């Protein structure tokens, strides 16, 4: 717990500052108050406060004189100047002496004052969390090790991991330093919480009970209650979203790699609830049991791209997100569907000698980005931003404006794909020569007429194979324009790697 000293010659200013700081929430302790520099020096030498809120213009000993005195005595502390607008020259001189920040006494709101103090607390803990230093506040442990030396023999543990902040050692150290500071002066009865830095810079806490008779379920509930308070405290200082995952109960001898995976997987329990930030692995089975319904909008994606119907593409995306929010299937399936969608869009770019890097190099890592998302709201924003940038790229490269005669040709193919149509039939319909149509189709779609027609028929066959109607393979062949069942099966397996029967059984 960091200690704060308030120094100002006006009692009402000191009272106002002390009253506006949320001491409990910010885990701060009032070390005292003083009306001049001499009084403050006596308290500083006795209490060694971590932070001093210091007025510059005071009787007996001014703030500047106190700063100089502390420098002479080699007393290290963190000073926040209390100033008025007219004190500018003094403030500038004070900053040369290493002052951390300043507060305008007459115009700062309580929220602004607390924000300044929060920033200084973060700087203090940040300084103490440099990677090259060793700390007594937390331990470093490899995920292939077990915490058997920490957890008593015969006992088990829960792993509490923190996610969402940038996973570098500096940020991880700050989270652990804040956690250690919050935990050090609290008594949680028989529950022990040991902050630790895991293999890939994952800040975590190993939590266990000292009571050999305690049930894992009871220990888990106590840990959840404690972590709720810790999370609230951490969010006071960390502005970005911070998620917490709690693993299943593990024996002391079990290495940490499995609990790490469980703690990350536990965040799926938060996927459809943007108001919660603490995931619990034990809730997963009940939450997503029998909720693996599929969504079949992906086969339509290529059709929409071929028609350049981007408005409908956005609508499909909205329908997909609405469906997911209503039925709440396993988040893993939603993420996989989203990855498949971006893959389809990416393949369309590749056919035109473009790549996702033309939008933003960050999109090259879409698989990892989507896999690490913790909420449907986050995923929805990502997909919409992706779609907007994708459409902008196609417009910029002139790919949106497909020739009207080729649009008519594609429309004719997709209306008559189940008939015995040929390239001359389509050419006659749009009133151009078959050779010119062949050239334009290749140029606009990247496909020959035959390849385009077969690919479209295969996509329609996939839809029928996965539909609720129980069509036979021969019926589907007839409905998709193949007419010969043997030829249909051969072409289908070449395109998908599976026979129609295997595909229908869900082996895709």
């Amino acid at each position: 717990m960091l200690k704060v000293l308030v120094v100002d010659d006006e009692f009402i200013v000191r009272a106002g500052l002390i009253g506006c700081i949320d001491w409990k929430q910010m885990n701060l302790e009032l070390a005292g108050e003083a009306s001049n520099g001499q009084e403050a020096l006596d308290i500083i030498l006795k209490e060694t406060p971590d932070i001093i809120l210091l007025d510059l213009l005071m009787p007996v000993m001014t703030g500047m004189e106190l700063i100089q005195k502390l420098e002479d005595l080699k007393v290290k502390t963190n000073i926040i100047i209390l100033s008025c607008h007219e004190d500018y020259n003094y403030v500038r001189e004070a900053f040369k002496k290493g002052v951390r920040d300043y507060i305008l006494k007459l115009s700062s709101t309580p929220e602004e004052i607390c924000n300044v103090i929060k920033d200084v607390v973060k700087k203090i803990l940040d300084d103490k969390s440099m990677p090259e230093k060793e700390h007594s506040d937390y331990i470093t442990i490899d995920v292939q090790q077990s915490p058997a030396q920490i957890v008593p023999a015969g006992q088990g543990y829960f792993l509490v991991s923190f996610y969402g902040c940038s996973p570098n050692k500096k940020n991880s150290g700050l989270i652990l330093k804040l956690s250690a500071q919050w935990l050090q002066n609290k008594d949680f009865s028989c529950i022990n919480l040991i902050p630790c830095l895991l293999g890939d810079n994952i800040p975590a806490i190993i939590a266990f009970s000292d009571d050999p008779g305690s049930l894992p379920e009871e220990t888990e509930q106590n840990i959840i209650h404690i972590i709720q308070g810790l999370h609230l405290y951490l969010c006071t200082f960390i502005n970005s979203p911070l998620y917490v995952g709690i693993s299943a109960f593990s024996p002391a001898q079990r290495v940490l790699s499995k609990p790490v995976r469980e703690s990350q997987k536990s965040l799926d329990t938060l996927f459809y609830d943007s108001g919660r930030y603490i995931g619990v692995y034990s809730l997963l089975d009940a939450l997503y049991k029998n909720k693996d319904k599929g969504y079949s909008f992906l086969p339509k994606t290529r059709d929409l791209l071929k028609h350049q119907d981007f408005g409908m593409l956005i609508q499909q995306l909205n329908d997909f997100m609405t469906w997911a929010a209503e039925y709440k299937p396993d988040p893993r399936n939603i993420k996989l569907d989203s990855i498949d969608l971006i893959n389809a869009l990416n393949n369309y770019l590749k056919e035109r000698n473009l790549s996702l890097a033309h939008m933003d190099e960050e999109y090259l890592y879409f698989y990892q980005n989507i896999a690490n998302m913790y909420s449907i709201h986050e995923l929805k924003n990502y997909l919409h931003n992706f779609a907007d940038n994708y459409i902008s790229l196609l417009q910029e490269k002139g790919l949106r404006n497909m020739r009207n005669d080729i649009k008519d040709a594609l429309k004719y193919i997709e209306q008559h794909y189940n008939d015995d149509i040929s390239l001359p039939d389509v050419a006659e319909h749009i009133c151009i020569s078959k050779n010119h149509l062949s050239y334009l189709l290749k140029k606009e779609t990247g496909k020959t007429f035959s390849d385009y027609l077969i690919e479209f028929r295969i996509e329609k066959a996939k839809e029928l194979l996965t539909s609720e109607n129980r069509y036979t393979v021969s019926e589907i062949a007839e409905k998709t324009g193949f007419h010969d069942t043997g030829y249909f099966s051969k072409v289908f397996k070449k395109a998908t790697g599976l026979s129609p029967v295997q595909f229908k059984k869900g082996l895709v």
Side-chain angles (χ1 to χ4, degrees), residues 417-467:
Y417 69 92
N418 54 342
D419 298 328
D420 189 16
I421 59 172
S422 63
L423 179 66
D425 294 332
V426 182
E428 181 180 354
H429 175 74
I430 63 172
C431 302
I432 64 174
S433 73
K434 66 176 184 179
N435 290 336
H436 191 45
L437 173 60
S438 178
Y439 167 76
L440 291 176
L441 274 174
K442 182 70 174 178
K443 179 182 177 182
E444 294 285 347
T445 69
K447 305 283 184 183
T448 64
F449 170 79
S450 178
D451 287 344
Y452 186 95
L453 179 60
I454 288 175
E455 187 178 287
F456 188 83
R457 285 171 168 172
I458 292 296
E459 291 300 323
K460 290 297 180 182
K462 287 180 182 178
E463 292 179 25
L464 293 174
L465 284 166
T466 55
S467 70

Side-chain angles (χ1 to χ4, degrees), residues 12 208 213 275:
I12 192 168
F208 58 93

